[in-house]
């Protein structure tokens, strides 16, 4: 397909002749347009248990009995005791339910409870730490075990002496573990039944952490962070996504309820069917960005809930409390210790310097669900208030739909464009950004192929074509993120997803074909987009080229069943590597049950010209110098 409209002259087509047997590309080493340094990054919200049970390190499910329907999910009795969710013995004003264990008279031996985690517990052989709150008359030993559900093998154990009374007391212990062969492991907490016979004991906010990423308290799961870090992304957009919005204003993600001690975080009924503990909260997101070298992109609630729930959209003077709330949040993030909310940050985490926030997105997908008509007013009011206090911040509108935006759009605003699509449409929209209004930059905050369970080669190649269209226009497309990022295979609300996982500590992370495409494109970035001429039109092969210093990158996608011969000319280069992801079957995919597609790398040599064959259904990067 031939691009229409404005040709950039950079990665743009210059048709000479229609090649019959091969495709010749020639990269112009001179000139070029600057490429966005932030182009590839991550979008995150707690969907598919990507946070609780996923990247967040705390491994026990339902530990604070949060959400709209508290129950005993994940718990079972150990020994002859009975368990109940107790509403009359709260831990704090935030954690208002506890686990009551009724111990019958005459009980002897070890009794207590187990927790199965989030469909298993990964025991990775590192030092584990457990924390719990306990109430009731008891003085004696408590034993913690990590034990195979079916095998009975112990992978970790600790016994500590405790004394508890009529108020909750906190206890903790750390212990070494042995790596388990799978995630079929239970956490058990038991005590001497004879010491509590005829009474009840209460437990709350029972937590279990492996050694977390960079040893952060309440930190992230290293196994998943390492895979994300392999993409070498540039930014993280959080906390959503739909999970920002809530079913009503009272159900929205509230920043001030996600900070401070975990016992002061009430959690909420998340927007993807399950409760959120909010142990992965505002400060934890910023630590995540700091530890992975990511630029934070903070989403703030803008007066609209999912599908207009709870009487939204909110307009006029009724917006002011929510605007004030966002300003308070920004003061917490950016204020010094002399400010009210900056001092709160210092008190909570001891951080005197502000978090390095530069980008704020107002709302989420306000072009959907009846939010469009009111968004110009809502956006303008939040924009003006934020810029009035923090003029240095980059503001992002949650939609690129001009009918949903103020006219004129305030200077410097970026807009968010989402594209969940079919492979055929991604193919046909390769030149989409050639023809957009270039007066304001774009953030492609969410995109991926949809209507399939796992990313496959056809979908991943089509995503690469869309990405080539973004990259060759990266003077106007500033950032882009595949979405969703993560998926616990036992609890899926949306497919496909970039990275899937279960609780196996050894090989429980599953790298999809789309993951490898994201990794190829993100780890091979130039800073200048280069002009490419060719003797062939785009389709089924698409391309774009960039450079950084003496290194050149030519990115390619072959959306078809035939192999393609290519000659790529890059003056002044002598060596190259060709790395590609490919499979002859367009429906080939990686999953939790199979891994059949992996990157392949070949070394090429040439005097400024590299000749090679691009496989069928392939995404490739030629890196030359």
């Amino acid at each position: 397909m031939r691009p229409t409209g404005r040709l950039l002259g950079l990665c743009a087509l210059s048709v000479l002749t229609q090649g019959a047997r091969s495709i010749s590309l020639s990269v112009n080493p001179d000139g070029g347009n600057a490429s966005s340094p932030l182009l590839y990054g991550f979008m995150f919200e707690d969907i598919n248990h990507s946070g609780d049970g996923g990247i967040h390190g705390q491994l026990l499910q339902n530990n604070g009995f949060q959400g709209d329907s508290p129950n005993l999910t994940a718990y079972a009795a150990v020994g002859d005791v009975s368990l109940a969710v107790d509403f009359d013995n709260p831990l704090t004003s935030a954690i208002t339910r506890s686990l009551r264990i009724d111990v019958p008279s005459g009980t002897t031996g070890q009794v207590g409870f187990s927790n199965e985690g989030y469909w298993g517990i990964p025991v990775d052989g590192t030092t584990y730490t457990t924390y719990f709150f306990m109430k009731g008359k008891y003085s004696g030993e408590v034993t913690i075990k990590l034990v195979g559900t079916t095998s009975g093998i112990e992978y970790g154990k600790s016994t500590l002496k405790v004394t508890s009374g009529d108020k909750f007391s906190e206890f903790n212990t750390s212990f070494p573990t042995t790596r388990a062969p799978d995630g079929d492991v239970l956490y058990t907490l038991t005590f001497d039944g004879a010491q509590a016979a005829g009474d009840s004991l209460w437990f709350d906010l029972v937590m279990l952490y492996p050694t977390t990423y960079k040893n952060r308290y309440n930190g992230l799961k290293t196994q998943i962070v390492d895979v994300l870090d392999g993409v070498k992304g540039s930014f993280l957009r959080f906390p959503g996504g739909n999970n920002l919005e809530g079913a009503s204003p009272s159900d929205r993600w509230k920043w001030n309820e996600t900070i401070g001690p975990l016992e002061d975080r009430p959690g909420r009924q998340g927007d993807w069917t399950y409760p959120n503990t909010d142990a992965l909260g505002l400060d934890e997101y910023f630590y995540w960005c700091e530890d992975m070298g990511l630029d934070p992109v903070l989403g703030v609630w803008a007066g609209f809930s999912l599908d207009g729930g709870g009487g939204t959209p909110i307009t006029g003077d009724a917006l002011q409390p929510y605007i004030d709330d966002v300003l308070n949040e920004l003061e917490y993030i950016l204020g010094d210790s002399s400010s009210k909310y900056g001092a709160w940050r210092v008190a909570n985490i001891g951080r005197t310097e502000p978090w390095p926030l530069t980008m704020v997105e107002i709302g989420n997908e306000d072009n959907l669900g009846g939010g469009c008509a009111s968004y110009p007013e809502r956006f303008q009011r939040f924009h003006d208030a934020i810029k009035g206090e923090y003029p240095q911040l980059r503001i992002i509108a949650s939609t690129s739909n001009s009918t949903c935006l103020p006219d004129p759009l305030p200077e410097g605003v970026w807009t968010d464009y989402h594209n969940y699509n079919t492979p055929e449409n991604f193919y046909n929209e390769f030149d989409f950004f050639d023809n957009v209004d270039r007066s304001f930059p774009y953030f492609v905050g969410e995109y991926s192929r949809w209507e399939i369970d796992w990313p496959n080669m056809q979908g991943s190649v089509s995503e690469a074509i869309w990405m080539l269209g973004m990259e060759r226009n990266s003077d106007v497309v500033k950032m882009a993120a595949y979405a969703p990022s993560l998926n616990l295979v036992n609890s899926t609300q949306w497919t496909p997803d970039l990275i899937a996982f279960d609780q196996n500590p050894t090989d429980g992370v599953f790298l999809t074909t789309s993951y490898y495409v994201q990794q190829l494109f993100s780890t091979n970035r130039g800073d200048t987009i280069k002009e490419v001429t060719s003797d062939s039109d785009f389709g089924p092969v698409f391309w774009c080229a960039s450079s950084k210093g003496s290194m050149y990158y030519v990115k390619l996608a072959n959306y078809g069943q035939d192999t393609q011969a290519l000659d790529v000319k890059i003056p002044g280069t002598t060596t190259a590597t060709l790395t590609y992801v490919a499979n002859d079957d367009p429906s080939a995919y990686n999953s939790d049950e199979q891994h059949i597609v992996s990157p392949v790398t070949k070394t090429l040599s040439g005097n400024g010209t590299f000749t090679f064959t691009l496989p069928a259904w392939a995404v490739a990067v030629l890196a030359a110098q």
Side-chain angles (χ1 to χ4, degrees):
M1 145 182 97
R2 183 174 302 175
T4 59
R6 179 177 182 267
L7 289 180
L8 301 182
L10 302 172
C11 295
L13 177 65
S14 177
V15 180
L16 305 178
T17 62
Q18 193 68 28
R21 300 174 63 183
S22 66
I23 297 172
S24 293
L25 306 180
S26 181
V27 178
N28 186 348
D30 299 323
N33 281 349
S35 177
S36 170
L38 298 175
L39 187 55
Y40 298 113
F42 305 109
M43 180 271 183
F44 181 84
E45 64 178 314
D46 204 331
I47 182 175
N48 305 318
H49 274 289
S50 56
D52 290 327
I55 196 169
H56 185 244
Q58 202 291 112
L59 303 177
L60 302 184
Q61 186 177 183
N62 194 26
N63 66 335
F65 304 100
Q66 292 146 304
D68 292 344
S69 302
N71 54 46
L72 289 172
T73 294
Y75 289 90
V78 175
D80 185 22
V81 296
S82 60
L83 309 182
V85 179
D86 193 315
F87 292 76
D88 298 323
N89 288 273
L91 174 63
T92 63
S93 60
I95 305 298
T96 58
R97 301 108 175 197
S98 58
L99 176 69
R100 189 181 76 240
I101 304 180
D102 297 324
V103 185
S105 298
T107 296
T108 59
Q110 290 289 301
V111 297
F113 66 90
S114 67
N115 187 296
E116 67 178 19
Y118 292 90
W119 296 271
I121 295 174
V123 184
D124 63 12
T126 64
T127 297
Y128 276 48
T129 302
T130 186
Y131 307 83
F132 59 91
F133 290 85
M134 182 177 178
K135 174 183 174 181
K137 185 179 179 181
Y138 183 82
S139 181
E141 292 184 338
V142 167
T143 298
I144 309 296
K145 290 183 182 180
L146 298 176
V147 58
T149 306
T150 53
S151 69
I153 297 173
E154 289 183 8
Y155 300 105
K157 178 181 177 180
S158 181
T159 298
L160 64 158
K161 292 184 178 180
V162 306
T163 299
S164 66
D166 59 1
K167 294 183 179 180
F168 275 106
S169 299
E170 184 179 10
F171 303 95
N172 68 80
T173 182
S174 296
F175 53 96
T177 66
T178 301
R179 180 182 289 270
D182 52 41
D184 190 23
V185 175
L186 286 174
Y187 171 97
T188 66
L189 185 156
T190 60
F191 49 87
D192 183 356
Q195 293 290 327
D199 289 328
S200 297
L201 296 179
W202 290 263
F203 293 84
D204 216 338
L205 213 59
V206 184
M207 297 173 279
L208 175 69
Y209 292 88
T211 299
T212 59
Y213 187 67
K214 297 202 173 182
N215 292 304
R216 292 252 182 232
Y217 167 74
N218 189 39
L220 303 181
K221 195 181 295 179
T222 299
Q223 186 182 26
I224 295 178
V225 176
D226 285 345
V227 172
L228 276 180
D229 193 43
V231 176
K232 302 304 178 188
S234 297
F235 66 87
L236 177 70
R237 174 182 172 228
F238 63 87
N242 294 128
N243 209 41
L244 169 70
E245 295 173 280
S248 68
S250 62
D251 295 319
R252 73 191 189 280
W253 188 86
K254 300 173 186 175
W255 71 272
N256 57 310
E257 294 184 356
T258 75
I259 58 175
L262 298 179
E263 60 268 29
D264 292 338
R265 304 185 192 187
R268 58 184 283 262
Q269 185 65 36
D271 295 326
W272 291 103
T273 74
Y274 56 86
N276 294 165
T277 67
D278 287 333
L280 177 57
L282 183 64
D283 286 313
E284 286 76 25
Y285 281 121
F286 278 101
Y287 278 126
W288 177 356
C289 291
E290 183 175 278
D291 290 345
M292 284 184 62
L294 303 171
D295 281 20
V297 181
L298 175 70
V300 298
W301 195 79
F304 188 75
S305 293
L306 288 172
D307 300 321
T312 62
I314 296 172
T315 58
D317 292 342
L319 271 178
Q320 193 58 50
Y322 302 101
I323 295 171
D324 292 342
D325 187 59
V326 168
L327 295 178
N328 293 341
E329 180 180 12
L330 293 175
E331 184 177 292
Y332 181 89
I333 295 166
L334 297 169
D336 61 31
S337 58
S338 67
S339 65
K340 175 181 178 181
Y341 292 98
W344 193 7
R345 180 192 69 242
V346 176
N348 282 337
I349 61 172
R351 185 183 179 98
T352 56
E353 66 272 25
W355 288 115
L357 179 68
T358 61
M359 293 177 281
V360 174
E361 181 165 5
I362 297 174
N364 174 70
E365 294 183 335
D366 282 273
N367 54 306
L368 302 178
C372 179
S374 62
Y375 190 62
E377 176 199 349
R378 293 186 289 112
F379 173 83
Q380 191 73 57
R381 291 199 59 185
F382 277 91
H383 171 277
D384 292 351
I386 294 170
K387 293 292 280 188
E389 294 290 333
Y390 304 98
Q392 76 277 19
L393 291 177
R394 171 77 63 190
I395 304 299
I396 302 172
S398 74
T399 176
S400 295
N401 186 334
S402 61
T403 62
C404 308
L405 296 170
D407 186 14
L409 194 65
E411 183 178 356
V413 169
W414 294 358
T415 67
D416 192 349
Y417 182 83
H418 294 180
N419 191 3
Y420 293 101
N421 224 319
T422 62
E424 293 78 10
N425 284 341
F426 274 132
Y427 181 102
N428 291 327
E429 293 179 6
F430 166 68
D431 61 348
F432 177 84
F433 287 106
D434 291 356
N435 304 296
V436 296
D437 178 356
R438 307 185 85 81
S439 62
F440 53 83
Y442 285 78
F443 170 31
V444 184
E446 300 178 29
Y447 70 93
S448 69
R449 186 255 171 100
W450 65 355
E451 299 180 327
I452 194 171
D453 287 340
W454 292 87
N456 62 16
M457 280 311 306
Q458 181 184 24
S460 298
V461 175
S462 75
E463 291 162 359
I465 293 169
W466 171 255
M467 293 162 70
L468 288 169
M470 291 190 293
E471 186 158 326
R472 76 199 205 109
N473 287 283
S474 60
D475 58 329
V476 69
V477 180
K478 299 300 184 181
M479 302 187 297
Y482 183 106
S485 298
L486 300 171
N487 172 34
L488 175 60
V489 296
N490 308 92
S491 178
T492 301
Q493 290 81 50
W494 181 286
T495 59
D497 304 286
L498 190 65
I499 300 164
F501 57 90
D502 63 19
Q503 306 300 1
N504 188 312
T506 300
D507 55 4
V509 180
F510 316 114
L511 305 183
T512 66
T513 53
S514 290
Y515 171 85
Y516 288 129
V517 170
Q518 292 289 321
Q519 185 181 52
L520 267 180
F521 274 49
S522 181
T523 58
N524 293 281
R525 291 195 231 178
D527 55 23
T528 304
I529 304 301
K530 311 302 288 189
E531 179 185 22
V532 179
T533 56
S534 174
D535 61 357
S536 300
D537 204 346
F538 288 124
V541 177
F542 298 81
W543 56 84
C544 182
S546 64
S547 69
K548 185 175 184 179
S550 62
M551 182 68 71
Y552 288 82
Y553 304 100
V554 179
K555 296 178 179 176
L556 301 148
N558 181 12
Y559 189 85
Q561 63 185 5
D562 298 322
T563 60
Q564 300 285 333
L566 284 99
D567 292 318
V568 178
K569 298 178 182 179
I570 310 172
T573 59
T574 58
T575 61
T577 58
L578 178 70
T579 305
Y580 60 84
V581 181
N583 196 282
D584 292 342
D585 180 2
S587 64
Y589 65 94
N590 296 337
S591 72
D592 56 338
E593 297 180 348
Q594 63 182 22
H595 189 101
I596 60 177
V597 181
S598 295
V600 175
T601 299
K602 296 180 178 181
T603 301
L604 306 177
S605 61
N607 186 19
T609 300
F610 304 96
T611 300
F612 56 92
T613 299
L614 192 62
W617 298 105
V619 178
V621 175
L622 179 75
Q625 62 180 344

